[in-house]
Amino acid sequence: MNKSTYLERLAEQGIDNAHPGGLQLTKSLLKKEKITQDMIILDIGCGTGQTSAYIAGNYPCKVVAIDINPTMLERAKATFDNFNLEIPLFKANAIRLPF
């Protein structure tokens, strides 16, 4: 039997916002920030792209998303396409950013 990692299982299942509090907590935290149009928000470990899409659709900043898992990158791209969002998406490890 092939052992999947936790992140691979999330990708296989297409699970959005596996972090404690989910998207609701993220929205609550974002409301407390002063996000302006000259900011770039980097979503590290973007998963299915739900948080990146929310930020891009609700704040005047630019969003850049990265994830290391190819399946999550495919799902994020589909999310961005579904909402007609142009969010740069990179396959990257958070400790070795491509920029």
Side-chain angles (χ1 to χ4, degrees), residues 40-44 52 62-66 87-90 99:
I40 301 171
I41 306 286
L42 176 60
D43 186 2
I44 297 174
S52 294
K62 179 179 178 180
V63 178
V64 176
I66 70 166
I87 299 174
L89 184 60
F90 297 90
F99 29 78

Side-chain angles (χ1 to χ4, degrees), residues 25-87:
L25 178 60
T26 300
K27 288 179 180 181
S28 175
L29 293 170
L30 287 168
K31 284 181 186 176
K32 297 176 183 183
E33 298 300 320
K34 293 181 179 160
I35 299 173
T36 63
Q37 65 185 16
D38 59 327
M39 292 181 171
I40 301 171
I41 306 286
L42 176 60
D43 186 2
I44 297 174
C46 69
T48 62
Q50 186 180 39
T51 299
S52 294
Y54 175 78
I55 295 169
N58 290 278
Y59 292 91
C61 61
K62 179 179 178 180
V63 178
V64 176
I66 70 166
D67 205 288
I68 198 164
N69 184 285
T71 302
M72 287 299 200
L73 291 168
E74 290 174 16
R75 293 181 188 274
K77 183 179 180 334
T79 298
F80 303 158
D81 289 348
N82 185 49
F83 289 104
N84 204 23
L85 297 169
E86 292 186 30
I87 299 174

